[in-house]
Amino acid sequence: MNTPITLQYNINAPIEKVWEGLTNKDEMKFWYFDIQDFELEVGRIFNFYEPGGENKYHHQGEILEIIPLQKLKHTWTYPDFSEQKTTVIWELQSMDNGALVKLTHEDIENFKDLGEGFSRENFTGGWNSIVGQSLKGYLEK
């Protein structure tokens, strides 16, 4: 069964501010990851490690689709551990009180053989923390 991880959060901030937070590497480092080679362009590959300086997990993504103020779609891989790819989709919708952020992480089962650190439960918890606490807290301050 290949069920994506999907979550939604209302963020009390203008959609333009949310988009900037999601797509500007100088903003991302305050709530997400420090992705120094991120450029908002289809086909661009970006790399980053988890915060804390351990550099245990090399993350790599490739931007697949951009619809300004609406959608950012990119791959999510761990090239040091697997050739398997997953897809992360960020979708925005303007609301009366800000923006609705929907995150979908597809094909998470592709990482099932990599161990507990790559489990569906770990990703679900991680995304809820990243979007529901870090992003929301950063943009609503």
Side-chain angles (χ1 to χ4, degrees):
M1 182 170 75
N2 200 351
T3 305
I5 295 169
T6 303
L7 51 98
Q8 295 186 142
Y9 284 92
N10 288 318
I11 297 182
N12 188 16
I15 198 166
E16 295 82 4
K17 183 177 180 182
V18 177
W19 180 255
E20 187 73 8
L22 288 177
T23 61
N24 180 322
K25 66 183 174 185
D26 294 326
E27 297 285 323
M28 283 185 220
K29 65 185 172 188
F30 293 110
W31 67 272
Y32 192 39
F33 296 100
D34 186 5
I35 309 176
Q36 296 181 7
D37 60 351
F38 184 89
E39 290 193 36
L40 189 61
E41 181 182 317
V42 172
R44 293 297 287 219
I45 293 174
F46 57 93
N47 300 273
F48 61 97
Y49 291 89
E50 70 285 354
E54 291 183 33
N55 291 353
K56 188 175 178 182
Y57 298 111
H58 172 205
H59 302 69
Q60 187 174 76
E62 178 182 356
I63 297 177
L64 302 174
E65 183 179 3
I66 302 165
I67 302 173
L69 303 177
Q70 294 179 33
K71 185 177 186 181
L72 173 63
K73 180 177 180 179
H74 61 81
T75 61
W76 184 280
T77 66
Y78 296 96
D80 296 343
F81 295 97
S82 173
E83 293 181 11
Q84 293 291 323
K85 292 183 179 183
T86 63
T87 304
V88 174
I89 304 163
W90 299 87
E91 295 174 280
L92 304 181
Q93 183 178 339
S94 193
M95 307 287 282
D96 289 341
N97 62 340
L100 177 69
V101 176
K102 178 180 176 186
L103 179 128
T104 305
H105 195 159
E106 299 176 332
D107 302 317
I108 200 69
E109 287 80 6
N110 289 351
F111 294 151
K112 70 180 181 323
D113 296 332
L114 299 182
E116 190 176 318
F118 300 89
S119 72
R120 175 182 195 83
E121 292 75 24
N122 274 8
F123 276 101
T124 301
W127 284 124
N128 275 297
S129 177
I130 287 169
V131 180
Q133 295 172 13
S134 297
L135 177 64
K136 185 172 173 67
Y138 175 68
L139 292 173
E140 291 182 349
K141 67 178 179 184

